[in-house]
Amino acid sequence: MKKTIADHAARFSEIAAEYDTEQNSEEYEACAALVIRRAAPHRTDTVLDLGTGTGAIALALAADAGRVVGRDVSEGMLEQAERKAADAGVENVEFGYGEFRAPEYDGEAQIVTSNFALHHLADDEKREAIETWAALDGGTTPNRSDSVGPRRIVLGDVMFFEEPDPSDPFYSPEVDDPATVGSLVEMFTSAGYAVTNVDRVHDQVGVITAERVVAAGRET
């Protein structure tokens, strides 16, 4: 990580009020729309949205999910998310402090989402984060009485499909540390998930959908 968590929290709190209007690129909007589409929660699902920011993904998923829990390190972004939820009358969302590797959440989460945030971590930190998500309580399933990990993880982020053009990066090299798509796929696979979709939005932006592995008719 090129900056500390506290540095990132302060930076995003400073721009929280303008964040939604400034994040208006076609790539960002396409990425967010794909995360929402790929998450596809059921009415009984709890969605854990990490790096929730001003709650764009969390609030969009609330209409279809049973509950949505948003976590972020920025107090300013969380305040914006809570205000938006109140203004929209959305009651099945909860926002609070949480980090990628320490979400500060001990309930069930059938689906985990994250959009345009994980790239702040170095690759070894990303791996630790994905392992943390995979170890969350995904609830019981029809084939098991004990809990398993989340059924689905959807990651939209800055990621490299090919060598990035150093003269035209889609990220800020001084604070961001994107991974290659191949590295991210391997991280999910190592955590016990099968990558079922890789959506390429831009040479440097994509959405990865990972499903909990099912072997011999039993979820693992």
Side-chain angles (χ1 to χ4, degrees):
M1 186 184 298
K2 295 182 177 180
K3 297 287 185 180
T4 67
I5 291 173
D7 287 338
H8 283 299
R11 182 166 67 91
F12 280 103
S13 288
E14 289 178 359
I15 63 173
E18 296 80 30
Y19 185 81
D20 286 346
T21 56
E22 292 183 357
Q23 287 286 3
N24 60 357
S25 71
E26 291 182 4
E27 292 83 0
Y28 177 85
E29 292 179 354
C31 191
L34 277 166
V35 170
I36 294 163
R37 174 184 170 191
R38 296 299 187 197
H42 300 155
R43 289 299 304 169
T44 56
D45 286 337
T46 294
V47 180
L48 177 61
D49 184 43
L50 297 170
T52 195
T54 63
I57 302 299
L59 292 170
L61 292 174
D64 296 320
R67 180 183 180 219
V68 182
V69 178
R71 292 288 184 261
D72 204 279
V73 299
S74 166
E75 182 178 339
M77 298 289 263
L78 290 169
E79 289 174 353
Q80 292 294 317
E82 290 172 344
R83 179 188 58 77
K84 287 163 62 176
D87 289 347
V90 179
E91 298 181 348
N92 62 331
V93 295
E94 169 206 328
F95 295 106
Y97 182 90
E99 304 170 13
F100 286 121
R101 293 170 290 168
E104 303 294 333
Y105 176 70
D106 59 5
E108 291 184 6
Q110 284 74 35
I111 297 174
V112 175
T113 58
S114 183
N115 189 54
F116 261 66
L118 191 67
H119 61 273
H120 298 306
L121 274 60
D123 281 9
D124 59 337
E125 296 166 328
K126 293 185 186 75
R127 182 180 298 277
E128 186 180 347
I130 290 170
E131 290 171 350
T132 298
W133 308 349
L136 291 167
D137 181 1
T140 59
T141 74
N143 295 324
R144 295 179 64 118
S145 59
D146 55 330
S147 65
V148 293
R151 181 176 76 251
R152 181 177 303 124
I153 301 174
V154 185
L155 172 67
D157 206 4
V158 181
M159 57 184 72
F160 298 146
F161 284 86
E162 54 190 60
E163 193 68 27
D165 181 353
S167 66
D168 187 28
F170 196 85
Y171 63 101
S172 301
E174 67 276 7
V175 295
D176 299 335
D177 197 3
T180 65
V181 173
S183 295
L184 291 168
V185 168
E186 187 277 326
M187 292 175 198
F188 280 111
T189 301
S190 294
Y193 282 72
V195 172
T196 54
N197 285 97
V198 178
D199 295 291
R200 180 170 177 161
V201 176
H202 177 277
D203 289 349
Q204 300 174 42
V205 179
V207 177
I208 293 175
T209 304
E211 307 276 349
R212 190 173 55 220
V213 171
V214 178
R218 291 176 63 86
E219 293 176 278
T220 60

